[in-house]
Amino acid sequence: AELYSAIDVLEPRNNVSVWQMSLSESRQNADKSNRLMDAYIDADSGKLYEFYVRTPLSWDQIDPDAIIESWRNYLGLEAPQEYANDNPLSETTPYYKKYIFDGMDDGYTVVTVGFYEGISELFLKISK
């Protein structure tokens, strides 16, 4: 685990301490199914912001709308909008869905729920 400070470069007063927790396995070809691989956690509240987890599910079995709904309720956020102007080159996988959450000062935050098929990894990540 490593502690980081996430800072808004344009407004440095907006910052948060975040723990990055990573699970690594020194053995090659170790079974990593159903394991949390990476998580980004608010250092003050303990709330989970992002995660990457191995799963036996395929993208067809994953409901990104249900995941984002649970996650936003967990964090106490308002309902998002779907990200309409999506650039397919912005992701390294074809299996994803993006959402927009309103932010401070007329800004917004993009949250992506996606899936890396080759390693069967489900992720939820935050970006601008």
Side-chain angles (χ1 to χ4, degrees):
E2 294 184 52
L3 184 62
Y4 291 94
S5 291
I7 301 170
D8 181 345
V9 177
L10 299 176
E11 190 61 49
R13 292 179 301 182
N14 295 334
N15 63 75
V16 63
S17 295
V18 178
W19 283 102
Q20 177 189 3
M21 295 182 57
S22 298
L23 173 66
S24 62
E25 177 66 65
S26 60
R27 294 179 297 147
Q28 287 193 340
N29 300 323
D31 181 14
K32 297 178 182 175
S33 60
N34 294 320
R35 290 172 83 179
L36 183 66
M37 302 308 292
D38 289 294
Y40 297 85
I41 303 165
D42 184 293
D44 293 326
S45 71
K47 295 282 187 171
L48 186 67
Y49 289 147
E50 289 188 26
F51 63 84
Y52 298 78
V53 63
R54 298 288 169 91
T55 177
L57 301 175
S58 67
W59 180 245
D60 295 340
Q61 297 170 297
I62 295 170
D63 183 351
D65 292 333
I67 291 170
I68 205 71
E69 181 67 13
S70 293
W71 181 80
R72 77 144 190 107
N73 281 327
Y74 166 74
L75 289 177
L77 301 173
E78 298 293 324
Q81 301 172 10
E82 285 191 33
Y83 191 62
N85 299 326
D86 198 12
N87 175 0
L89 300 177
S90 67
E91 293 297 330
T92 56
T93 178
Y95 308 111
Y96 66 91
K97 189 167 183 182
K98 292 183 179 247
Y99 305 85
I100 295 176
F101 287 86
D102 288 332
M104 297 174 57
D105 300 326
D106 297 327
Y108 63 90
T109 300
V110 176
V111 178
T112 305
V113 175
F115 182 75
Y116 297 123
E117 184 175 42
I119 57 175
S120 296
E121 189 168 87
L122 171 67
F123 64 88
L124 183 146
K125 68 179 181 177
I126 300 171
S127 59
K128 179 75 174 166

